[in-house]
């Protein structure tokens, strides 16, 4: 499978963003994350256009957990995106990169006091409150600091999205948010309206990730709009914002056919308009929070093939110089990927093999895939790794985290340098009594 930004040059090498991936591997080493800047910018524009055309006040907040680096923050800022952060580190990175605080939204089911304080001191645009106690805490900190807290309340719409259970979050049985089915969401709303220094702006939900159908979004929109209507009936409060979360799926394999951003916008816009009309409530400003669908297909990971082990009548194992430390998704979510031998990208994928990592356990990257006669020294490209690979990478087995290079129109530049062995021991301390 070649993605639209990819081609094969006259050497038979895979080209991404105008750069020969075999050259990139040679220059920067492997494993290497390669990220196509143009694809990311186009996705941002696609979102801003598709939602902006239908819902003129709509905001698009990039969910930075998918891939967070300073360069990404710069791109998001330049494209006029807002940004979701869900931890102290993500907030720190965004602020360090100079991303405007008023366009940052803070998420999380357990935000420590210091994080809430920093967010309020830094004047982040919104804090998405996840529970009643947290609302109380936000209010206390805001009062102490003498600032106003601008909040959304995260509600659980009770929608069971069609995706891997570990990335499903809209159902009742979840750690996230306050339940609409019980009275928790209404109680949280009343509390937020009463608490000093808390300005409630509306509601948030997020049903899940890697969703390949849009109907869940329409359903969630209707359910939250029903709630917004009952809040108005019971309290008189009219929500001005509705944040529908992220979750649009991407193409990992040829068989994945994700809906377009346009289709997603259409589904949500229709549901909002229908609901607003039915309940005779004003249309809230819509916020959408895509992560994976902004950066996922922009990324390719390059590995060097080290060992090819054929077990007669059983299987061929192809081991590469990375694995679960640079991409834990196959092990965590049974995620599937397609691969190419980057230095023979036009050759027929004649061999069925298993791609394994180099860690001291069975870290299968791709369980069964057809590739072009893989040989030690070949460069293997794993497709669609822009999201949740680097951001979930670890130092397991004391592997150094790979570098990331951004490509654009034939130019390549490092945006994350490769970790060094010194980096690995940087935080280690040896007590003097052990010296
Ligand atoms: N908003 C909220 C509140 C979220 O929790 C998430 C993802 C998003 C937006 C962005 O969702 P996206 O558009 O990227 O699907 N590590 C998993 C995915 C976890 C998603 C967590 N929340 C994976 O690799 O599949």
């Amino acid at each position: 499978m070649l993605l639209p930004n990819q081609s094969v040059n006259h050497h038979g090498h895979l080209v991404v963003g105008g750069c020969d991936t075999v050259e990139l591997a040679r220059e920067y080493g492997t494993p290497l994350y390669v990220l196509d800047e143009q694809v990311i910018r186009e996705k941002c524009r696609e979102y801003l256009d598709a939602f902006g055309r239908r819902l003129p006040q709509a905001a698009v907040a990039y969910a930075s957990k998918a891939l967070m680096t300073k360069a990404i923050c710069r791109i998001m800022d330049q494209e006029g995106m807002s940004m979701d952060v869900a931890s102290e580190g993500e907030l720190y990175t965004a602020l360090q990169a100079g991303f405007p605080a008023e366009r940052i939204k803070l998420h999380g089911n357990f935000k420590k006091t210091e994080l809430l304080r920093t967010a309020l001191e830094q004047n982040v645009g919104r804090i998405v409150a996840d529970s009643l106690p947290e609302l109380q805490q936000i209010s206390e900190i805001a009062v102490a600091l003498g600032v106003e807290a601008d909040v959304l309340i995260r509600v659980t719409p009770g929608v069971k999205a069609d995706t891997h259970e570990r990335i499903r979050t809209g159902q009742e049985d979840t750690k996230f948010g306050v339940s609409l089915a019980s009275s928790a969401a209404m109680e949280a709303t009343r509390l937020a309206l009463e608490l000093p220094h808390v300005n409630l702006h509306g509601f948030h939900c997020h049903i899940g990730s890697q969703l390949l159908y849009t109907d869940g979004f329409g359903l969630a929109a209707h359910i939250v709009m029903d709630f917004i209507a009952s809040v108005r009936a019971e309290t008189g409060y009219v929500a001005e914002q509705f944040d529908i979360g992220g979750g649009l799926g991407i193409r990992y394999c040829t068989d994945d056919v994700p809906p377009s951003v346009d289709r997603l916008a259409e589904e949500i816009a229709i549901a909002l308009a229908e609901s607003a009309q039915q309940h005779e409530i004003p249309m809230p400003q819509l916020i959408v929070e895509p992560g994976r669908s902004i950066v996922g297909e922009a990324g390719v990971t390059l590995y060097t093939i080290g060992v090819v082990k054929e077990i007669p009548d059983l299987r061929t194992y192809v081991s590469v110089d990375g694995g679960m430390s640079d991409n834990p998704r196959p092990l965590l979510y049974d995620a599937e990927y397609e691969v190419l031998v980057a230095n023979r990208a036009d050759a027929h994928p004649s061999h069925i093999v298993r791609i394994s990592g180099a860690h001291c356990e069975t870290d299968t990257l791709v369980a069964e895939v057809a590739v072009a006669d893989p040989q030690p020294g070949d460069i293997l490209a794993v497709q669609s790794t822009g999201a949740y690979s680097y951001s979930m990478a670890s130092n397991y087995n004391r592997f150094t985290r790979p570098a990331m290079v951004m490509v654009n129109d034939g130019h390549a530049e490092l945006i994350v340098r490769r970790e060094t062995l010194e980096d690995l021991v940087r935080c280690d301390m040896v007590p003097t009594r052990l010296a």
Side-chain angles (χ1 to χ4, degrees):
M1 169 183 84
L2 281 184
L3 288 162
N5 63 323
Q6 301 177 343
S7 57
V8 178
N9 66 15
H10 62 282
H11 298 298
H13 294 178
L14 173 66
V15 173
V16 177
C19 293
D20 181 322
T21 54
V22 180
E23 293 295 325
L24 292 175
R26 206 170 290 152
E27 186 171 349
Y28 297 99
T30 57
L32 181 70
Y33 299 113
V34 180
L35 202 62
D36 189 333
E37 178 179 347
Q38 221 38 53
V39 173
I40 297 176
R41 289 190 185 276
E42 278 162 19
K43 279 290 169 194
C44 293
R45 290 170 198 176
E46 216 179 309
Y47 264 97
L48 290 164
D49 176 63
F51 281 88
R53 244 184 312 119
R54 296 175 172 90
L55 304 160
Q57 302 296 316
V60 185
Y62 169 64
S64 65
K65 71 202 80 182
L67 174 63
M68 184 53 148
T69 79
K70 286 187 184 177
I72 292 292
C73 292
R74 297 294 305 143
I75 292 175
M76 294 305 145
D77 188 17
Q78 288 168 0
E79 293 298 329
M81 302 277 281
S82 300
M83 172 123 37
D84 273 12
V85 298
S87 72
E88 196 182 2
E90 288 175 0
L91 176 59
Y92 179 77
T93 309
L95 293 173
Q96 280 283 308
F99 195 87
E102 68 272 13
R103 277 193 270 140
I104 297 178
K105 181 152 40 84
L106 175 65
H107 277 286
N109 65 307
F110 173 27
K111 309 175 191 74
K112 287 192 174 179
T113 309
E114 304 79 63
L115 176 56
L116 289 172
R117 190 178 301 121
T118 308
L120 288 168
E121 279 169 353
Q122 297 290 334
N123 252 317
V124 307
R126 293 284 179 274
I127 297 178
V128 183
D130 208 80
S131 66
L132 279 86
E134 187 180 276
L135 275 167
Q136 203 93 44
Q137 201 188 4
I138 291 170
S139 170
E140 282 161 20
I141 300 170
V143 169
L145 292 174
V147 298
E148 293 295 308
D150 294 304
V151 307
L152 300 176
I153 294 174
R154 178 166 180 163
V155 298
T156 313
V159 174
K160 194 171 172 191
D162 184 15
T163 188
H164 193 282
E165 64 170 341
R166 286 194 202 140
I167 48 177
R168 206 188 269 153
T169 47
Q171 72 283 4
E172 266 307 295
D173 188 357
T174 172
K175 69 173 184 175
F176 294 107
V178 284
S179 157
L180 287 184
S182 74
S183 55
M186 190 61 81
E187 274 173 50
T189 306
R190 286 186 194 283
L191 180 65
L193 292 172
E194 279 164 16
L195 283 170
H197 290 237
V198 168
N199 297 328
L200 179 63
H201 290 271
F203 300 96
H204 167 278
C205 74
H206 172 74
I207 56 174
S209 199
Q210 184 54 14
L211 306 179
L212 294 173
Y213 303 94
T214 57
D215 48 349
F217 292 95
L219 186 58
H222 276 292
I223 292 171
V224 176
M225 287 292 278
D226 289 350
F227 176 67
I228 288 175
S230 43
V231 166
R232 187 176 76 166
E234 288 193 27
T235 69
Y237 169 72
V238 181
E240 93 216 32
Q241 290 185 321
F242 171 24
D243 184 336
I244 196 159
L248 184 63
I250 63 162
R251 170 168 277 192
Y252 283 102
C253 299
T254 314
D255 293 346
D256 298 333
V257 188
S260 65
V261 174
D262 214 56
R263 177 79 203 82
L264 175 71
E266 183 74 2
E267 172 96 32
I268 295 172
I270 289 176
L272 285 184
E274 278 175 5
S275 264
Q277 196 181 19
Q278 180 201 339
H279 294 296
E280 295 178 356
I281 51 174
M283 285 274 272
Q285 180 203 5
L286 182 86
I287 305 170
V288 60
E289 303 174 335
R292 189 190 315 264
S293 52
I294 297 284
V295 292
E297 290 179 19
V300 167
T301 308
L302 303 178
Y303 301 95
T304 300
I305 294 177
V307 181
V308 179
K309 168 181 165 177
E310 240 181 277
I311 309 176
D313 304 324
L314 203 57
R315 158 184 336 278
T316 299
Y317 282 88
V318 173
S319 292
V320 297
D321 56 351
M324 62 185 287
S325 58
D326 59 75
N327 184 359
R329 300 193 66 257
L331 291 187
L332 278 174
Y333 316 114
D334 304 315
E336 292 178 5
Y337 289 90
E338 279 190 14
V339 305
L340 275 176
V341 173
N343 48 305
R344 263 177 286 112
D346 50 1
H348 179 65
S350 50
H351 290 56
I352 307 283
V353 303
R354 173 166 293 181
I355 311 290
S356 299
H359 290 275
C360 269
E361 60 179 280
T362 308
D363 64 335
T364 300
L365 267 177
V366 189
E368 203 168 77
V369 65
V371 284
D373 190 15
Q375 297 296 327
D378 281 344
I379 303 298
L380 190 85
V382 178
Q383 299 280 26
S384 301
T385 57
Y388 302 112
S389 295
Y390 173 68
S391 68
M392 297 180 78
S394 75
N395 290 122
Y396 181 44
N397 282 151
R398 290 242 146 171
F399 272 46
T400 52
R401 265 178 278 239
M404 189 179 303
V405 71
M406 185 169 269
V407 293
N408 188 352
D409 203 18
H411 301 286
E413 223 166 320
L414 270 188
I415 61 165
V416 180
R417 71 151 170 81
R418 186 176 302 281
E419 279 181 341
T420 62
L421 293 173
E422 299 90 81
D423 287 331
L424 292 176
V425 291
R426 204 177 42 210
C427 302
D428 289 9
M429 317 275 275
V430 180
T432 44
R433 68 189 171 79
L434 298 182

